[in-house]
Amino acid sequence: MATLIVCLAVLLGWLSTRYEWQYDLTRSGRHTLSAASVKVLHKMQGPVDITAYAREEPGLRDLISKIVARYQHVKPDINLHFVNPDAVPDEVRKLGISVNGELVIHYQNRSQHVHSDSEEEFTNALQRLARGSERWLAFTEGHGERSPLGQANFDLGSWVQQLNNRGFKTQPINLVDIQAIPENTQVLVIAGPQVNLLPGEVKLIGDYIDQGGNLLWLLDPPGKLFNLDDLAAKLNIKVLQGTIIDTAGRLIGLNDPTIVLETASLYPPNPATTGLQLTTIFPTATAITTAGDSDWKVTPLLSTGDHTWLETGKLEGDIAYDKDVDDKGPLNI
């Protein structure tokens, strides 16, 4: 028995030099990377070098080491080394280092700076490096669209800032001034125009789609197309006229039936909603459907429950479902 115990101890010692095992016992899993971070690391081929410009303060350097170690556990070829910024002032000035503890991540001759200990910021920097080439989102302008730069509640500035943090670049584009959509446009965004587009502008958009371009078309209810009817026909979509009524909101104190409530159980299978557990609300939404048979494959992004309907009458007084004129849910928003 003694010999067996000694042999077992030796075996465990030998295994510990060749294999590493970790387990996060914290309730919130704060020492474990999110699935999104792990996914980004799996996309990166080759070593990643991280230079931490941190003064020789044990607390700060230990914190940085622990953060990077979580990534090294998934991708062992992440290398970390420290530089005291006070010892290399010219280098700090050249690189624009502004924070004690700032990280510069190097990957395939590209670099990104990280200024905090946030996993989100660190992973966003890795994601930008993994993408490599620049990805441009072009927002049409000149027709009263929602601004990608504005901060008003009807603008898209906050959302665009999140895209920029993930490595996308954005630019407004006036279709009247160009002969074709720029080739480096990854996505063309039409964000809720309020006046009609010109026929030449509509043709530019159609040509862009025919060449394999990606389009994000945002419509405000009640679904007026502003001379984009031909575009809807090309994509085989039909925007229904009316407002979706959802009575489920009353259960959580929403007395306005024109606010559509989306819970995790209603999200169709889609990469954009995978893992989303939050409840989302959509005021005065309308419905969209296919116009008929075509070569386009349609995948709904958001759908309502079967307790909803598309109200085609006036939104006043007691609103009730009329089976003769209203479309019954589920409806695609």
Side-chain angles (χ1 to χ4, degrees):
M1 181 63 70
T3 302
L4 181 60
I5 292 175
V6 170
C7 291
L8 181 59
V10 171
L11 178 60
L12 290 174
W14 177 79
L15 289 174
S16 69
T17 64
R18 285 160 174 76
Y19 301 97
E20 182 180 351
W21 180 81
Q22 291 183 346
Y23 189 77
D24 189 355
L25 296 175
T26 59
R27 178 176 297 180
S28 62
R30 62 179 179 271
H31 299 310
T32 303
L33 288 180
S34 66
S37 296
V38 173
K39 185 176 181 180
V40 170
L41 290 173
H42 286 163
K43 291 180 180 179
M44 304 184 78
Q45 304 296 322
V48 176
D49 296 312
I50 301 174
T51 302
Y53 289 86
R55 295 188 177 98
E56 296 179 359
E57 303 170 4
L60 176 60
R61 292 196 171 191
D62 287 346
L63 175 61
I64 293 173
S65 296
K66 289 178 180 178
I67 294 170
V68 174
R70 294 160 58 191
Y71 290 83
Q72 290 172 322
H73 181 64
V74 178
K75 184 175 174 60
D77 56 351
I78 294 179
N79 307 304
L80 171 66
H81 69 277
F82 290 92
V83 172
N84 185 348
D86 296 332
V88 287
D90 292 340
E91 183 177 337
V92 167
R93 192 179 306 109
K94 180 180 179 181
L95 295 175
I97 304 298
S98 59
V99 178
N100 181 27
E102 186 169 334
L103 307 180
V104 181
I105 307 175
H106 302 272
Y107 176 70
Q108 294 184 352
N109 298 320
R110 300 186 299 274
S111 64
Q112 287 285 327
H113 289 232
V114 175
H115 300 87
S116 76
D117 60 355
S118 163
E119 179 185 340
E120 180 180 8
E121 183 176 347
F122 197 105
T123 298
N124 284 340
L126 292 175
Q127 193 171 52
R128 290 191 290 270
L129 291 170
R131 284 199 179 111
S133 60
E134 293 182 340
R135 295 190 176 191
W136 285 92
L137 277 72
F139 287 75
T140 62
E141 64 175 4
H143 318 91
E145 295 94 337
R146 297 172 183 262
S147 171
L149 306 177
Q151 296 299 322
N153 60 358
F154 49 78
D155 286 326
L156 303 175
S158 298
W159 174 59
V160 168
Q161 183 59 52
Q162 294 182 45
L163 293 174
N164 292 339
N165 291 340
R166 286 161 174 78
F168 291 93
K169 295 183 179 295
T170 56
Q171 63 178 354
I173 183 172
N174 195 318
L175 300 178
V176 175
D177 298 333
I178 61 175
Q179 300 297 319
I181 307 296
E183 292 183 358
N184 65 345
T185 301
Q186 296 292 317
V187 182
L188 178 67
V189 184
I190 307 174
Q194 299 301 308
V195 298
N196 288 344
L197 276 75
L198 299 174
E201 296 177 296
V202 178
K203 184 179 185 303
L204 283 179
I205 298 171
D207 292 343
Y208 170 75
I209 292 174
D210 289 339
Q211 295 168 9
N214 301 302
L215 172 69
L216 175 61
W217 182 9
L218 308 177
L219 284 173
D220 288 315
K224 188 176 179 181
L225 299 183
F226 296 103
N227 207 31
L228 289 172
D229 305 74
D230 290 344
L231 177 61
K234 174 188 282 290
L235 300 174
N236 192 43
I237 60 174
K238 181 180 180 182
V239 181
L240 304 183
Q241 300 298 306
T243 304
I244 298 177
I245 300 299
D246 187 350
T247 57
R250 296 172 182 169
L251 300 175
I252 60 172
L254 293 176
N255 295 320
D256 187 346
T258 64
I259 296 179
V260 177
L261 203 64
E262 288 280 332
T263 60
S265 62
L266 292 174
Y267 299 133
N270 190 287
T273 55
T274 298
L276 180 60
Q277 297 298 319
L278 298 177
T279 297
T280 51
I281 59 175
F282 299 86
T284 59
T286 191
I288 186 171
T289 185
T290 56
D293 296 331
S294 82
D295 294 332
W296 290 94
K297 178 183 178 182
V298 178
T299 303
L301 178 62
L302 294 168
S303 296
T304 65
D306 55 12
H307 62 283
T308 64
W309 72 88
L310 184 70
E311 178 62 42
T312 56
K314 294 184 178 180
L315 299 175
E316 57 186 25
D318 293 330
I319 303 174
Y321 171 65
D322 186 343
K323 65 179 181 180
D324 294 328
V325 295
D326 297 332
D327 290 315
K328 183 72 172 174
L331 299 164
N332 296 324
I333 295 180

